Amino acid sequence: VPGGCNAPGFSLSGSGSATRCLYDFNQVRTAEPEMSSDMLLVGGALRLGDDWQLNLDASLSRVQIVGVEAPDLILPELAIARGSPNHPAARFPTLGYDPNRPLHLRHRFVANGNRETDSEDRQSRVSLGLDGRIGAADAEFRLFQDDSRFEERISNQVIQSLAQQAINDGSYNIYDPFATAPAVLDAMSATAQRDGRYRTQGFDATTTLAVGD
């Protein structure tokens, strides 16, 4: 849109009808996200007579990744409805835009700020085993439980339906997003969160018997 490519990080490419507004997201995104990890291992064994031994093994790990991504870009493209104050025909009546023709807009919401990502993956495992002999055979019995939890949060995620509404009623200024009221920017942004939890429980039993000499 005319005048809508003047914010820091934006530049024009091409000419005439092929002109495009480009954004250099490399200036804000994290080249190498910050990662931290911790791990705890615990093990023990207890003899039960001459032939049996009780084993306990446990592990706990945590990996956290924090990064910064460019401001949100909503796809598919947003619409500029007929009659909207943001329609070029209303903004620039002498430039020949058809006021009855809705237009489509690919827009990066720089005024809403960068997106910050924070993810954490936690894994734990507990195994209780009993090893020994049954007659001439070696035997092993094992109970185990694996737990996994993943959490991810992305701040400043723009909600498409609210952004579309703000563009249509003119409360969001597509030509100068930084002139938009902070309350409008806050109302159309949210923190997205994904959580995943998994648990696996099992029991293993094996016996080994030597055949022959």
Side-chain angles (χ1 to χ4, degrees):
V1 292
C5 198
N6 298 325
F10 289 89
S11 62
L12 292 172
S13 175
S15 60
S17 61
T19 301
R20 295 291 183 269
C21 180
L22 305 180
Y23 181 73
D24 182 13
F25 60 86
N26 289 308
Q27 67 176 349
V28 294
R29 74 184 183 108
T30 305
E32 293 292 338
E34 180 182 345
M35 184 178 71
S36 61
S37 62
D38 303 287
M39 177 173 286
L40 175 66
L41 300 174
V42 177
L46 177 65
R47 294 291 301 180
L48 303 175
D50 295 333
D51 295 330
W52 292 94
Q53 178 172 291
L54 186 66
N55 302 301
L56 175 64
D57 296 294
S59 65
L60 177 65
S61 66
R62 181 185 70 91
V63 177
Q64 185 176 27
I65 301 176
V66 178
V68 177
E69 297 291 338
D72 208 358
L73 171 66
I74 291 181
L75 295 175
E77 298 171 342
L78 295 160
I80 306 177
R82 295 187 297 268
S84 167
N86 276 310
H87 197 290
R91 186 85 174 196
F92 309 101
T94 62
L95 294 185
Y97 287 97
D98 184 354
N100 296 313
R101 179 185 177 186
L103 301 177
H104 295 278
L105 174 71
R106 179 175 295 184
H107 185 73
R108 191 173 291 275
F109 291 84
V110 292
N112 292 73
N114 300 328
R115 290 172 294 168
E116 297 182 358
T117 61
D118 184 352
S119 65
E120 184 174 272
D121 187 5
R122 296 193 294 271
Q123 307 276 345
S124 65
R125 179 179 177 87
V126 178
S127 174
L128 181 64
L130 183 63
D131 301 331
R133 292 184 63 83
I134 302 176
D138 294 323
E140 179 181 336
F141 305 96
R142 190 88 55 205
L143 285 170
F144 66 88
Q145 176 173 299
D146 296 327
D147 287 284
S148 175
R149 180 169 182 175
F150 177 78
E151 297 178 346
E152 182 181 44
R153 291 171 296 278
I154 305 176
S155 63
N156 276 346
Q157 195 86 7
V158 176
I159 303 173
Q160 181 171 354
S161 59
L162 298 180
Q164 182 68 78
Q165 178 182 337
I167 289 174
N168 285 341
D169 65 23
S171 58
Y172 181 85
N173 187 344
I174 64 174
Y175 303 93
D176 185 6
F178 292 98
T180 302
V184 174
L185 299 176
D186 292 341
M188 53 195 274
S189 298
T191 297
Q193 181 163 335
R194 295 188 300 171
D195 294 329
R197 298 184 182 184
Y198 307 93
R199 170 170 289 178
T200 303
Q201 296 175 322
F203 172 74
D204 294 329
T206 60
T207 58
T208 305
L209 179 64
V211 179
D213 295 337

